[in-house]
Amino acid sequence: MRPVSVWQWSLWGLLLCLLCSSCLGSPSPSTAPEKRAGSQGLRFRLAGFPRKPFEGRVEIQRAGEWGTICDDDFTLQAAHVLCRELGFTEATGWTHSAKYGPGTGRIWLDNLSCSGTERSVTECASRGWGNSDCTHDEDAGVICKDERLPGFSDSNVIEVEHHLQVEEVRLRPAVGRGRRPLPVTEGLVEVRLPDGWSQVCDKGWSAHNSHVVCGMLGFPSEKRVNVAFYR
C-alpha cells in the first residue's frame, strides 16, 4: 500500500470542498407566491334604516374600527364587489346621499373605482384608506340581489340591530266625530319615523309602556283603557 502524502490529502480535501459548495450552493430566492393583501382583516356589514336584509349602508371594519364609504365616484361595479364581499351574488343597485341614514366613525374609502371583477374591495382604486373629504351625509349604500353565494360563510356578514330612537309621539283619537276635547288624553299611539307617522302594535304592550308615553306627552300618569274598543 502506497503512502499518501500530505499534499495529496490537501488536494483531495480542496476538491471535496469544491464539490460540496457546488452541491449546496447559495440560498436561492423563494419562489412561493407573495401573500396578497385581500379582505383578510376586514369585516363588512349592512346598516341603516329602513331597509331589507340585502340592502343598506355599507360599513367596513378595519383595524378594529367601523367606517363607511363615500358616494363620490361610486358605481354599480363597486356595488357588485361589495355585495360579493357581503356574500351575495351581485348588486342590483346602489344609493347615495346617506339614503339609509348617516353613519358614524371613519369614512374609510372615497373615490372608490372598481371594474366589477375584483375579488376584493382592496383591489379597487381609491384615495387610500381613511383619506376622504366627505361627510356622513354622503355615505354610500348597496342593494344586493337576494341570492347568496354558494358556500359563503356568514361570519363576514353582520346584521346590525337597529335601535329605534323615538323623539316624537302623539295620540290619534279613535273617534273622529264631533268636537274633540283638547288636549287628547286617549287614542291610538303613533310615533314619528323618517317616512312619517306610524301606529304602534299592541303586542307586548303593558301599563309600563303607557306610563312612558303619557310622560312624554306631559301627563303625570296613565289610566287603564278599554283595549277591545280600539280593536
Side-chain angles (χ1 to χ4, degrees):
M1 182 176 179
R2 295 177 59 187
V4 180
S5 66
V6 175
W7 181 85
Q8 289 176 311
W9 277 116
S10 300
L11 184 61
W12 281 109
L14 178 61
L15 181 60
L16 183 61
C17 289
L18 290 174
L19 288 173
C20 290
S21 298
S22 176
C23 293
L24 294 177
S26 57
S28 59
S30 175
T31 57
E34 183 181 356
K35 289 186 178 180
R36 181 179 54 84
S39 295
Q40 293 85 357
L42 299 180
R43 303 176 74 188
F44 300 81
R45 69 184 181 188
L46 292 172
F49 180 82
R51 66 181 183 85
K52 296 177 181 178
F54 48 85
E55 64 177 301
R57 181 179 64 249
V58 181
E59 295 190 350
I60 304 175
Q61 187 187 53
R62 184 175 188 266
E65 186 176 356
W66 286 101
T68 61
I69 301 175
C70 180
D71 61 10
D72 289 353
D73 297 333
F74 200 91
T75 62
L76 183 62
Q77 285 70 32
H80 282 315
V81 177
L82 289 164
C83 282
R84 288 197 296 269
E85 295 271 29
L86 289 157
F88 297 97
T89 55
E90 60 181 337
T92 60
W94 64 280
T95 65
H96 58 85
S97 305
K99 171 180 168 60
Y100 300 100
T104 58
R106 300 283 294 273
I107 298 178
W108 277 124
L109 292 172
D110 191 3
N111 299 114
L112 184 65
S113 177
C114 306
S115 66
T117 60
E118 292 86 351
R119 291 178 296 171
S120 166
V121 71
T122 59
E123 298 176 8
C124 300
S126 70
R127 296 181 58 167
W129 289 98
N131 184 10
S132 172
D133 59 359
C134 299
T135 67
H136 283 296
D137 290 331
E138 301 170 84
D139 284 343
V142 295
I143 305 169
C144 302
K145 184 177 181 180
D146 191 13
E147 182 180 336
R148 303 292 289 171
L149 287 171
F152 186 86
S153 174
D154 284 335
S155 61
N156 203 32
V157 182
I158 304 172
E159 288 291 335
V160 179
E161 181 182 356
H162 180 78
H163 298 280
L164 182 62
Q165 182 176 354
V166 176
E167 296 182 356
E168 292 187 64
V169 64
R170 72 181 182 186
L171 293 177
R172 182 167 61 85
V175 179
R177 292 176 301 175
R179 185 179 180 86
R180 295 193 300 244
L182 294 175
V184 178
T185 59
E186 180 179 336
L188 301 171
V189 180
E190 294 185 340
V191 294
R192 188 166 191 167
L193 300 177
D195 292 338
W197 289 94
S198 299
Q199 294 184 17
V200 179
C201 179
D202 65 351
K203 184 177 181 180
W205 191 268
S206 67
H208 299 291
N209 301 101
S210 299
H211 184 79
V212 172
V213 171
C214 288
M216 293 178 69
L217 293 169
F219 298 106
S221 62
E222 78 288 350
K223 289 179 62 177
R224 188 169 183 176
V225 297
N226 183 5
V227 180
F229 171 78
Y230 291 97
R231 290 179 179 173

